[in-house]
Amino acid sequence: MAKIATVRARVEPRLKEEAEGVLEKLGLNPTAAITLYYQQIVKRHGIPFEVSLPHPTTLTAMRDAETGRGVTRAREVDDFLAKLNADD
């Protein structure tokens, strides 16, 4: 079947450049990659990777890590493990 449909999308230039660099290493051009993506959408009846919001517990942990709340810090692994085990 002839490829006559066109797909247009706006993306950030840096993202496009990086993605096309990866595709080139894979031996694919953007058209082939988009075709593969569309084929997987049809085959799976959905997006071919998980798209979901993090669990509330995960969100809390991510926020805590960003702010440093409850983060254990150490310069050496042994020191870190000792700090973690001190709570037992």
Side-chain angles (χ1 to χ4, degrees), residues 1 20 25 36 43 45 48 51 54 57-58 67 79 87-88:
M1 184 181 294
E20 288 179 0
K25 290 177 184 176
L36 287 171
K43 180 180 179 179
H45 298 277
V51 178
T57 302
T58 303
T67 61
D79 184 32
D87 294 338
D88 291 343

Side-chain angles (χ1 to χ4, degrees), residues 21-77:
V22 172
L23 292 173
E24 185 177 341
K25 290 177 184 176
L26 294 171
L28 297 170
N29 61 38
T31 298
I34 292 168
T35 300
L36 287 171
Y37 179 63
Y38 273 37
Q39 288 170 339
Q40 287 298 308
I41 290 170
V42 170
K43 180 180 179 179
R44 297 168 187 246
H45 298 277
I47 296 177
F49 48 84
E50 185 177 336
V51 178
S52 63
L53 297 173
H55 186 277
T57 302
T58 303
L59 279 174
T60 299
M62 291 167 60
R63 288 186 191 115
D64 288 349
E66 288 173 352
T67 61
R69 181 175 175 241
V71 174
T72 301
R73 300 180 192 280
R75 291 187 183 267
E76 302 290 331
V77 173

